[in-house]
Amino acid sequence: MTRLSIQLSALLLGLSFAVSAAANSPTIRLFPTTVVEDLRQTGDVARDMENGLQEVIGRLDQQRELYEQSKCDGAENDPGCQRLSRQIGATYLEMLTIMEDRLPDMEHTVNNTRQSLERSLRNELGRKMSSWTLQETLIGASEQGPTADSSPALRGRSGMRLSERFRQYYQLVATSGSQSDQSLAVLASDIYLDMDETSVLIERTRQEIARATLMEQLNQSFGIITPEMMEVVGGVKTILFGDEESRALVAGPPPGSVEQAYRSPLEQ
Amino acid sequence: MRISVKTSALIAILGASLFLSACVSTEPSCMSPQTRNLDSAITAVQSNLSSGCAAHFDRYYDDLLTIAEGDPRPENKRTFSEFLVWSTDAGLLSRRQAEDYYNRFFNVKFMSMRGDYNNCSHTCPNRQRLLIEMERELSDKERGLLLVSQDSEGYYRADQLFNEVELVLEATCMACAAAR
């Protein structure tokens, strides 16, 4: 339950290193303190929401299992099954209520983080750099350039829960990104695009919750479990707790020698 | 006497015509190198380029890459670099052209990313075109780094750089657009 908060704390620690590393050299400032603070708040709100929903979703799973074990599918008129259906419906309403309570805070902090990163990216990479200097930043200032171990792997932005993404951000910052602009530029871009996607999803979810709540309140009168309920629960579980199958794989380098010492006088 | 002067003039004109037609027949053939040995091929190409075939430089460069693919070695980078430096010294290429020829095939950095203006104002409006050009350049790097020089690490870095540029530009351009 506290995994997300630990991961976010670690991420913030990593970002603090990144900020201090950036302060020691004339480097780009993609993670100013405002972004770090916004990330901390987003982490707190995400943790609260995850804690609240995990218990309710666990209860929903148990009730659903009981419903299936009691062979209630096709026996909706049975009084026992109707009682089970109402219990499931009530828990479902509870889940919607928790989401309704938590989402505005989540939306607010996610938007703040997104806007802070937006400003940083626009100023540092958009206005202060040309395409050539951006490339030089990404490739790294050193002559050797990044190795496969030290450079960040692109993860893609779908099919992975927020807390897992944060854990990966932390790992990248803690192991390599804290000392290179190259990694920070990729990291900032990745977080920003994640936040933008998350922000759109939260907005859509909030719009749907009111409608889903009304529908379930009506269904409570009849003790019906609708397929939509199960779909919504499944969707929430996927968003919050991840979808193992859709986790993006990162390709490895092609095999071959790495002994390439020659540098042409024509090389840029 | 008058006849002999006219005859002499005709002979002179005929001689000049023959001389000119002889010049036409010695126009260089600009053939592609026939050997599969890279060093020999470069010598042949250099000879042709110095004999009026400079307009065929692109084709010769492509021929040399194809020959080098048949005998891939890390040293091929140096061979191509030296050939391009010779081309610059011979006045066939400007320094910048030589850099483009070399870096497009044998360097991790993308020459398509050359630009002096800021990303918000210049790169973002042309982002799709830039990415298409980079993708083409990446296939040239595959040829130069991977197939000619056996520098798989370099090619991997170029491929990774392409992916990173795509991601960072997507985010940066979205951030730039949000200010409008």
Side-chain angles (χ1 to χ4, degrees), chain A residues 118 122 125-127 129-132 135-136 144 151 154 157 189 192 255-256 260 262 264-268, chain B residues 78 81 95 99 102-103 107 109-110 113-115 117-120 151-152 157 160 163 168 175 178-179:
Chain A
E118 194 170 272
R122 187 166 56 240
L125 303 186
R127 290 179 177 157
M129 285 192 185
S130 67
S131 51
W132 188 256
Q135 175 172 234
E136 301 233 292
Q144 290 178 326
S151 58
L154 299 179
R157 300 187 305 281
S189 300
Y192 171 65
Q260 310 296 333
Y262 175 67
S264 163
L266 298 170
E267 200 162 302
Q268 292 284 291
Chain B
R78 179 192 298 272
S81 172
R95 173 84 185 178
E99 285 170 358
Y102 182 81
N103 290 294
N107 193 2
K109 287 181 194 172
F110 285 82
M113 289 281 282
R114 261 188 172 161
Y117 302 109
N118 80 56
N119 288 316
C120 281
D151 183 3
S152 54
R157 280 171 58 203
Q160 190 183 31
N163 288 326
V168 172

Side-chain angles (χ1 to χ4, degrees), chain A residues 240-261:
Chain A
L240 280 175
F241 310 121
D243 177 2
E244 291 294 322
E245 286 180 5
S246 59
R247 203 165 280 184
L249 297 174
V250 179
S257 165
V258 295
E259 295 170 15
Q260 310 296 333

Side-chain angles (χ1 to χ4, degrees), chain B residues 49-64:
Chain B
L49 287 171
S50 305
S51 312
C53 295
H56 298 269
F57 190 91
D58 280 345
R59 176 167 60 81
Y60 283 131
Y61 196 69
D62 187 65
D63 289 341
L64 294 176

Side-chain angles (χ1 to χ4, degrees), chain A residues 36-165:
Chain A
V36 178
E37 179 60 21
D38 287 337
L39 279 170
R40 189 188 62 76
Q41 283 185 8
T42 309
D44 289 347
V45 174
R47 181 199 56 202
D48 290 347
M49 187 160 158
E50 188 174 296
N51 287 350
L53 283 175
Q54 198 153 349
E55 190 271 325
V56 177
I57 286 174
R59 204 158 9 111
L60 260 175
D61 281 344
Q62 285 176 350
Q63 288 170 336
R64 173 79 183 160
E65 207 178 317
L66 183 62
Y67 187 84
E68 282 171 359
Q69 283 171 355
S70 307
K71 303 195 186 308
C72 286
D73 281 327
E76 285 81 7
N77 293 328
D78 180 84
C81 290
Q82 283 190 347
R83 196 168 61 248
L84 277 175
S85 295
R86 287 202 181 88
Q87 283 173 359
I88 292 174
T91 313
Y92 176 66
L93 271 176
E94 204 180 319
M95 185 192 84
L96 292 178
T97 307
I98 291 171
M99 289 177 76
E100 195 175 22
D101 288 345
R102 304 286 189 193
L103 277 178
D105 281 349
M106 188 82 181
E107 187 175 37
H108 179 69
T109 54
V110 164
N111 280 341
N112 277 353
T113 310
R114 183 176 59 81
Q115 283 163 7
S116 299
L117 276 171
E118 194 170 272
R119 274 193 298 274
S120 298
L121 285 169
R122 187 166 56 240
N123 290 331
E124 299 295 324
L125 303 186
R127 290 179 177 157
K128 289 184 186 171
M129 285 192 185
S130 67
S131 51
W132 188 256
T133 50
L134 176 65
Q135 175 172 234
E136 301 233 292
T137 302
L138 288 175
I139 207 165
S142 72
E143 291 279 304
Q144 290 178 326
T147 64
D149 290 337
S150 67
S151 58
L154 299 179
R155 294 155 300 283
R157 300 187 305 281
S158 56
M160 192 181 290
R161 64 173 160 172
L162 198 60
S163 59
E164 177 62 18
R165 290 176 196 156

